Structure formats: C-alpha cells, structure tokens
Amino acid sequence: MNTFLKGTVLLIIAAFIGEIVEFITNMVLARELGEKGLGMYMSILPTVFLIVLLASFEMPVSISKFIAEKDKRIHRSMLSHVLKWTIILTCVLLVLISIILPFIPVFDHYHPSFRWLVLILIPIISFTSIARGYFMGRSQMGKIATANFLRKIVQLLLLVYLYRLFEFELDAAVLVAFCTLIGSDIVVFIYLFYVFMIQYQYMKNQPSKRLHGKVVMKNLMQVSLPTTALRVFNAFTSALEPFLITGALMYAGIGKELATEQFGMVSGIAMVIGTFPAFIAHSFMMMLIPTISKAAADRDTDQLQKLLKQVMMITLGYGIPAVAICYFFAEPLTTIFFHSPDAARFVQLLWPCFLFRFFIFPLQAYLIGLGLMKEAFIHGVWSTVVAFAIIYFLGSKSSFGMDGVIIGINTEAILIMLMHYVTVCKKIGVNFLMNPLKPVKA
C-alpha cells in the first residue's frame, strides 16, 4: 500500500505540473489558431489518435498487468518476444497505413503534409508503449512521470518558439501545432526507450526462465484485444463525434463556420477547463492497474474492497470542489485564459460530464485489473450509442442546438460511470454503498 500511495502521489504531483503546462499550451493554441483553427485542430486529433492507437495495441496496459502478476524471472523472456512482435507489427502497420491514408477524406481539408506526418508517430508509439508498460508494471512511476512532463513541456516550448518566430496562415498554423506534438513524442521515445534498454540489458545478468511465445501471446492478448477494441471504438467514435455534432448543428440551422467555432469552444476550451483535475484520476488509473491485477491474482478481496472505498472517497473529495469552481467561475476562467467569454455557458452546462469522468478512470482500472474488459467494452458501446442518439436528435433541433449536444455528452459520462461502478461492486462483493456482502472470488 505504501508503494501504491507513494507512486500515486508522485504521479499526481508530476501530472499537476504537466496539466498546468498543457493548460498554457491550450491557451497558446486558442490565441494563435483562433476559434476556427482550434476547432480544426481538435477535430482532426481523434482521427490521428485512432490511427496511432493501432500502433500501441494497448501494450502499456497488458504488459503492466503481466509484469505485476508474474514472476520477475520470466520478464526478460516476455519482453524479448514483445520486442520482436513490435518490429513486425510496426512494419506491417506502416505499409497498411501508407496505402489507406490517401483514401481518408478527413485530411482533405488540411495541409497536404498533414496525413503523411502521422506515419512518423507509428514506430514512436509502438516502442514507447513497451517501455511504458514495463515501468508501470514495476511501479517505477518516476520514469513515467518524467516522460509525461517532458511530452508537455517540449510541445509548449516548440509552440511558443515557432509561433513567435514565424507568421503562419491558418492551415500552416494547424500543421505546426501537430508537428510540435510529434516533436514532443520523439523526445519521450528517446528518453523512455533509453532507460528501458538499460534495464533490459541488466536483466540479462539476472536469473531467468524461458517462456514460450504462445504463452506470452495468450496472456497479453487476453488484455490487449478487448482493451484495444474498446480504445479503437472510443477513438473511432471520437473521430466521428466532431462531424456528428457539426452536422447536427448545421441541420438545426446553424452555419458551418459557427458550428465549427462552437465545437471548438466545447472541446478546446470548456473540456480543457472542466477536465483539468482529471490528471488525479488518470494517476490513480496508472497505479491501480498493476495494484488491482496483483490483488486479484492473490485473491485479496479485502484489499480490493478497501482500495475501492478509498479511491472513490478521494475522487469525491476533489471532484465536487473542482466542479464547483468551474461552475461558479466559468466566465473569469474562459475570459482570462482563453479570451472566449462565450464558452463560459458551455463550461457550466457540462458539469455532470466533468464530475462523472473523474470516477471513470479508476473504475476502468478496476475492470482491467479484474479481467472484465469485455464488460468495459459493452459499457462503452451502450453509453456511446445512447449519447450519439441524443446528440443527433436534440442537437439537430433549432430549439436545442448545442444545448442538446451537451445533454448527450453528459448522458454518456453518467451512464458509463454507473455501469462500471455496478459491475465492479458486484465482482468484488460490495453493495452500492461499498459495504461488504459475502466473500467472493476476485
């Protein structure tokens, strides 16, 4: 438990600093790109992340779970298999994505170089994922925290330097913003993979056991396949969401430019402000996955129940004040930091989404650690289907417009959090108020 708390505190502190940096980064983007440019940037990112997601194949999650559960003598054998598979998978993906990219119409509205820059991210993310998974499984969160901070500070420095040094047209400015994202990922890759290879070489001199590739594959795929399916589904729907929202708003009689601006205010300003404290939830998630995996493997139901209560109470403790600040100080926050007072109303309307999202991260870590990724996938599908239906039905009505879209976004967060929570409670043997029922298998 001490390791868990120390690791979590370290991640939270580093993430807090990183979030401040990211907040400043979004301020720079909002000022340099304007509401339309910010809308364009936020609209293309989900599509990029969908492509890049395939490169990671959720290896950080599956590797960290494997490392936490299994004897350390087989770690080197497992990692050697993963490195070989990653080289093969990366080569295959580069060829496939190169063939598919010209036929993806989303990139047609952006700078011609935009789509090809995505290819650079594929090998970077693939190999960085191995290092992330290993350090997460070993609870070496200092390296993860350093990598996360490096990614954000490098992007901010590149943005400030390039935007101050040169003047760009809107298309070029959006492209530059994306290039700084790639640059920061390259720096993270160099750092993480370097320290990973040092430890990998050290493992060669330690007692080890040979593990068959099929056994490694089976263990990793049990987590990677459903987790990747969920992430691909989320990434696909996130890539579709900007077009669904702007399409619904246009159907309601709102012009295309105004619809894009409103989407930019919601995703690039309101969501940035409201989800700022989510770094705490994400830190919990990173520490919980290996911790829950080990407790579940040891069938330690008492620890699972105790940890759930602690995490939920802590989340409630910071979530309510954070949402209250966002609600009551929405106009000063959007005006001072983003020069967009019109976005204040969206911040206030989205408070249920902000609050319930804080709970989703640790609950998803529980589902992963308990081997319930199938259930997590089903929850994601149902909540998204309901949310999209509400977004289109209400958002396309002139009497609702963006208010209808926000109702759908709030509904999705509430639904998925409740489904996650009920499933976790049932699995670890507690009722809705987290009081123990009877001993059950973890």
Side-chain angles (χ1 to χ4, degrees):
M1 185 62 67
N2 287 334
T3 302
F4 172 79
L5 291 175
K6 288 178 181 177
T8 303
V9 170
L10 177 62
L11 282 176
I12 289 174
I13 293 172
F16 175 70
I17 299 172
E19 284 299 310
I20 294 176
V21 175
E22 186 170 359
F23 196 84
I24 298 172
T25 299
N26 282 286
M27 287 170 53
V28 173
L29 287 172
R31 291 181 181 182
E32 297 293 337
L33 299 180
E35 292 177 346
K36 182 181 179 181
L38 185 62
M40 291 175 62
Y41 180 74
M42 291 298 175
S43 296
I44 196 63
L45 281 185
T47 303
V48 174
F49 292 153
L50 173 60
I51 296 172
V52 171
L53 174 62
L54 298 174
S56 73
F57 205 60
E58 282 302 279
M59 282 300 174
V61 175
S62 57
I63 291 175
S64 67
K65 183 174 171 63
F66 186 99
I67 294 292
E69 292 177 346
K70 307 298 182 182
D71 189 337
K72 66 180 181 179
R73 289 177 295 178
I74 63 175
H75 290 175
R76 179 174 168 269
S77 179
M78 182 273 289
L79 290 170
S80 65
H81 288 302
V82 172
L83 284 168
K84 294 175 185 176
W85 296 335
T86 301
I87 293 172
I88 297 171
L89 179 63
T90 301
C91 293
V92 172
L93 276 175
L94 283 172
V95 174
L96 289 177
I97 299 299
S98 298
I99 296 172
I100 296 172
L101 271 176
F103 302 99
I104 300 179
V106 175
F107 292 100
D108 293 343
H109 304 292
Y110 294 82
H111 193 280
S113 303
F114 208 109
R115 69 180 78 213
W116 300 112
L117 287 170
V118 177
L119 293 176
I120 300 175
L121 284 173
I122 292 176
I124 294 172
I125 299 300
S126 294
F127 289 97
T128 304
S129 297
I130 300 173
R132 282 186 180 277
Y134 175 74
F135 293 129
M136 285 171 60
R138 293 294 304 272
S139 296
Q140 296 182 12
M141 295 304 171
K143 296 178 177 64
I144 300 295
T146 301
N148 292 341
F149 176 74
L150 274 175
R151 185 178 185 274
K152 293 177 180 180
I153 193 66
V154 169
Q155 184 185 13
L156 175 60
L157 292 175
L158 287 174
L159 277 173
V160 172
Y161 176 75
L162 292 173
Y163 283 144
R164 288 291 177 269
L165 194 63
F166 303 101
E167 292 288 337
F168 300 101
E169 297 292 333
L170 182 59
D171 284 353
V174 175
L175 178 67
V176 167
F178 182 61
C179 288
T180 61
L181 187 65
I182 295 176
S184 64
D185 278 325
I186 291 174
V187 172
V188 169
F189 163 73
I190 294 171
Y191 166 73
L192 268 185
F193 207 70
Y194 172 73
V195 293
F196 167 75
M197 289 308 297
I198 291 176
Q199 295 210 12
Y200 183 73
Q201 293 298 322
Y202 173 78
M203 281 188 278
K204 289 183 177 180
N205 301 320
Q206 302 301 310
S208 62
K209 292 171 62 177
R210 185 71 180 170
L211 199 60
H212 197 280
K214 291 183 178 179
V215 177
V216 177
M217 178 71 77
K218 180 181 178 182
N219 277 271
L220 294 181
M221 291 305 102
Q222 285 177 344
V223 179
S224 282
L225 283 177
T227 309
T228 301
L230 175 61
R231 288 289 301 275
V232 168
F233 176 79
N234 289 338
F236 176 77
T237 53
S238 295
L240 179 63
E241 189 176 49
F243 306 99
L244 175 68
I245 292 175
T246 53
L249 293 176
M250 289 170 63
Y251 192 83
I254 298 174
K256 182 178 180 179
E257 186 170 337
L258 180 58
T260 303
E261 288 179 3
Q262 287 190 352
F263 176 77
M265 284 190 284
V266 168
S267 62
I269 298 177
M271 295 299 289
V272 169
I273 292 174
T275 59
F276 179 83
F279 68 88
I280 302 176
H282 192 262
S283 299
F284 272 128
M285 181 178 179
M286 294 177 67
M287 280 302 302
L288 279 171
I289 290 175
T291 304
I292 297 303
S293 298
K294 190 175 188 315
D298 296 339
R299 300 184 184 278
D300 191 349
T301 306
D302 290 339
Q303 183 180 359
L304 293 172
Q305 294 174 350
K306 180 181 178 182
L307 201 54
L308 178 66
K309 184 176 291 187
Q310 290 177 338
V311 171
M312 297 299 281
M313 290 298 104
I314 292 172
T315 303
L316 196 65
Y318 77 80
I320 291 178
V323 170
I325 291 171
C326 290
Y327 186 90
F328 292 108
F329 297 95
E331 188 168 349
L333 288 171
T334 56
T335 303
I336 294 173
F337 294 109
F338 295 94
H339 299 286
S340 181
D342 293 339
R345 184 169 174 275
F346 297 145
V347 174
Q348 293 176 323
L349 292 175
L350 281 164
W351 75 263
C353 172
F354 303 149
L355 180 61
F356 283 88
R357 278 196 176 193
F358 299 152
F359 292 93
I360 291 173
F361 286 103
L363 288 173
Q364 189 164 320
Y366 256 86
L367 293 174
I368 293 170
L370 295 171
L372 299 174
M373 283 312 302
K374 178 182 176 182
E375 286 77 1
F377 179 76
I378 294 172
H379 298 169
V381 171
W382 275 111
S383 60
T384 302
V385 168
V386 172
F388 274 22
I390 295 174
I391 287 172
Y392 183 78
F393 180 74
L394 295 181
S396 59
K397 292 184 178 297
S398 57
S399 55
F400 281 93
M402 184 54 82
D403 290 357
V405 170
I406 290 175
I407 291 173
I409 295 173
N410 286 335
T411 301
E412 180 180 19
I414 294 169
L415 275 179
I416 196 168
M417 181 271 172
L418 291 176
M419 287 189 287
H420 280 3
Y421 182 67
V422 170
T423 302
V424 170
C425 288
K426 182 179 178 181
K427 181 66 176 180
I428 67 174
V430 296
N431 59 24
F432 196 78
L433 298 176
M434 292 180 287
N435 295 317
L437 296 174
K438 60 181 181 179
V440 294
K441 292 184 178 181

